[in-house]
Amino acid sequence: MTDHDATPDLTGPDLSESYALSINGRDREVADAWLGESLLYVLRERLGLPGSKNACEQGECGSCSVMMDGLLVNSCCVLAADAVDADVRTVEGLAPDGTLTDVQQAFLDAGAVQCGFCIPGLIVSVHDLLDRAPQPDELEVREAISGNLCRCTGYGRILQAVQDVAAARTAADAQEDRP
Amino acid sequence: MSSVMDPTKVTYLRPTSVAEAVDALRTSDGARPIAGGTDLMVQVRLGRRRPDTVVDLSAVDGLAELSEERIGAGVTMRRLLASEHAAAAWPALVEAARLLGGRQIQAMATVGGNLCNASPAAESATPLLVHDATARIAGPDCVRAVPLEEFWSGPGQTVLGPGELLIAVTLPATAGRSAYRRIELRRSVDIAVVSAAARLEIVDGAVAQARVAIGAAAPTPRRVVAAEQVLEGVAVGPDLERAINQAAVLAGDACVPIDDTRATARYRTAMIPVLVSRALAACVP
């Protein structure tokens, strides 16, 4: 310890042991919790949202990928405190009524899912990619999912599924644009 | 699943100003700052660091400012990748930011965190060295400036004293091209086996200023002044090609690498000249 004997009060009133997170557009109360927990831990263990997976818990595998204020992040490396006031979107928020998104359906159709553990993270990453770049080339797809490790598939069918969605969305847009 | 950090053993503090952050870091010798969390959360999880106090810098005012001659410690790799000024002024740094982790890591990892984690392989280190960066450090008594090449004292170690915080790096306006090259085992989301950055300012057909820095080749990222000296004053053309070869050999001589899981010391020493010539060649218009 230094000669500073008084611990400064830096936590502030709204960062106490109960706080709110905005998850998938809903305010979720986190009660009696410590702000030094990871966002992943809070999602899975406190809020009952196990879609974001805990695989490596060291920022390598991307299984815990979520969107935070529009940016794709590994929730295992994010402090819960830093998610306060942020707009957090998890894989659960992509298909709230249980109907699969086009990306999810394309993964199934292409046979891109084997053990499945990496898939929620990949689905979040691919939605992020296609929102940014509706018609990505293969390099863009590979770059976008480079932070998501799949140890089963070899990625071939995952890459195919992404291209299938991009093509289907482009075709649907063309249909809509017709008079 | 258990929480990465144990609330009974770790105090969490969230200062909102640099002065508060300095105070918070002084509350304990075991205090560690946290910004993006991409290194510290992993180190805590693996038991490599056991901070008793975590000082969250994400709410500290002004730390994430990015301007033409200053990069706040809280600026993320994603911010650098989105900055037109960074791409034009510091190309080596932007190339390095693109290679640092995947998109998830780039969104959170900060320049300050990358420098303070003090890995000899730190992606942003050698590019900032060739752009003559200065570390701006806030402390209990004053703010001090340290040339970046003097910022590290060993692997994982910096010159930061108790209560000191890296708040920014400042960069003089530098001319010429810069480039970053590295060797990795896997194209994406991997740590450099060895890396090199270079910058050449060419005026009237000759090298007016040269900078060469090497990473993962010594206990800290380092500049190779001897290599820079053989380049300065040399005319573009065959003379410069010869000087680049000489500079590459001198950079190899400056290596003091280790054997680890990624590569042997011998391999690293052999590859540094290759990377230095590639980086220098990319700086020649």
Side-chain angles (χ1 to χ4, degrees):
Chain A
M1 293 291 284
T2 66
D3 53 0
H4 263 236
D5 43 18
T7 302
D9 175 24
L10 300 164
T11 47
D14 51 347
L15 293 170
S16 62
E17 301 206 326
S18 288
Y19 60 95
L21 293 180
S22 170
I23 312 287
N24 300 324
R26 275 182 60 201
D27 278 346
R28 299 290 301 264
E29 198 66 29
V30 183
D32 295 326
W34 182 61
L35 285 156
E37 292 171 349
S38 73
L39 175 60
L40 176 64
Y41 180 81
V42 173
L43 290 172
R44 291 179 58 85
E45 308 295 331
R46 298 197 179 278
L47 296 176
L49 293 168
S52 307
K53 297 301 177 214
N54 177 33
C56 76
E57 213 178 356
Q58 47 186 287
E60 292 273 347
C61 77
S63 299
C64 63
S65 296
V66 302
M67 301 299 292
M68 191 165 90
D69 283 339
L71 285 177
L72 186 71
V73 300
N74 286 325
S75 59
C76 72
C77 289
V78 174
L79 287 176
D82 292 335
V84 174
D85 300 327
D87 176 30
V88 178
R89 304 271 161 178
T90 70
V91 69
E92 286 93 345
L94 290 170
D97 61 357
T99 310
L100 298 183
T101 67
D102 54 354
V103 176
Q104 290 169 322
Q105 189 61 52
F107 268 59
L108 291 181
D109 294 344
V113 180
Q114 289 192 27
C115 94
F117 210 81
C118 67
I119 298 298
L122 272 162
I123 296 289
V124 174
S125 294
V126 170
H127 272 281
D128 172 47
L129 166 68
L130 294 175
D131 288 349
R132 287 184 286 113
Q135 289 175 289
D137 61 30
E138 186 176 333
L139 193 63
E140 281 178 284
V141 181
R142 285 179 179 271
E143 190 269 337
I145 64 170
S146 64
N148 293 86
L149 300 187
C150 170
R151 300 293 80 169
C152 304
T153 65
Y155 300 97
R157 292 179 180 196
I158 293 170
L159 295 169
Q160 186 57 50
V162 179
Q163 294 302 349
D164 290 349
V165 180
R169 287 190 186 183
T170 306
D173 285 349
Q175 194 82 28
E176 261 177 37
D177 289 346
R178 265 184 223 159
Chain B
M1 175 182 180
S2 60
S3 177
V4 173
M5 288 187 279
D6 180 348
T8 62
K9 295 181 184 145
V10 184
T11 304
Y12 171 84
L13 300 174
R14 188 177 172 88
T16 56
S17 68
V18 168
E20 280 183 1
V22 166
D23 273 352
L25 287 168
R26 291 178 72 192
T27 55
S28 163
D29 290 341
R32 286 291 293 180
I34 186 167
T38 57
D39 282 316
L40 188 66
M41 292 289 272
V42 176
Q43 289 158 356
V44 171
R45 157 118 173 91
L46 299 178
R48 289 185 193 153
R49 281 198 201 272
R50 299 178 194 282
D52 60 24
T53 303
V54 169
V55 181
D56 184 355
L57 302 177
S58 53
V60 172
D61 196 34
L63 269 195
E65 278 172 17
L66 177 62
S67 70
E68 293 198 354
E69 66 288 329
R70 185 182 175 96
I71 304 172
V75 169
T76 63
M77 299 302 147
R78 177 61 48 204
R79 284 272 308 287
L80 289 176
L81 289 168
S83 161
E84 283 176 23
H85 172 72
W90 315 308
L93 181 61
V94 173
E95 288 169 28
R98 189 170 288 117
L99 289 166
L100 191 154
R103 292 192 74 86
Q104 292 95 328
I105 298 296
Q106 290 162 358
M108 297 302 289
T110 63
V111 171
N114 194 230
L115 297 176
C116 291
N117 188 53
S119 162
E123 225 69 71
S124 65
T126 52
L128 288 169
L129 284 174
V130 301
H131 281 285
D132 294 347
T134 299
R136 303 282 159 179
I137 298 168
D141 306 314
C142 59
V143 174
R144 65 181 176 125
V146 174
L148 192 60
E149 60 240 58
E150 294 165 19
F151 182 69
W152 301 285
S153 47
Q157 291 175 331
T158 67
V159 298
L160 292 174
E164 284 195 320
L165 177 70
L166 177 70
I167 53 172
V169 290
T170 50
L171 304 97
T174 43
R177 294 189 189 180
S178 68
Y180 178 73
R181 293 290 183 272
R182 71 173 201 179
I183 288 174
E184 65 275 295
L185 302 179
R186 189 171 76 189
R187 190 74 191 95
S188 296
V189 196
D190 204 356
I191 295 166
V193 170
V194 272
S195 61
R199 182 172 59 82
L200 290 180
E201 180 188 350
I202 291 168
V203 177
D204 297 334
V207 177
Q209 190 178 60
R211 291 288 182 270
V212 174
I214 56 177
T220 66
R222 59 167 58 167
R223 262 177 71 185
V224 187
V225 175
E228 296 168 359
Q229 284 168 346
V230 299
L231 294 160
E232 289 179 351
V234 176
V236 175
D239 285 353
L240 183 55
E241 282 171 32
R242 272 191 295 277
I244 286 177
N245 289 338
Q246 278 180 299
V249 171
L250 289 166
D253 294 344
C255 291
V256 202
I258 57 165
D259 292 321
D260 69 8
T261 55
R262 270 182 279 281
T264 59
R266 198 167 153 229
Y267 179 76
R268 289 188 158 102
T269 304
M271 287 304 106
I272 278 291
V274 176
L275 288 181
V276 165
S277 11
R278 285 181 189 166
L280 283 167
C283 298
V284 181

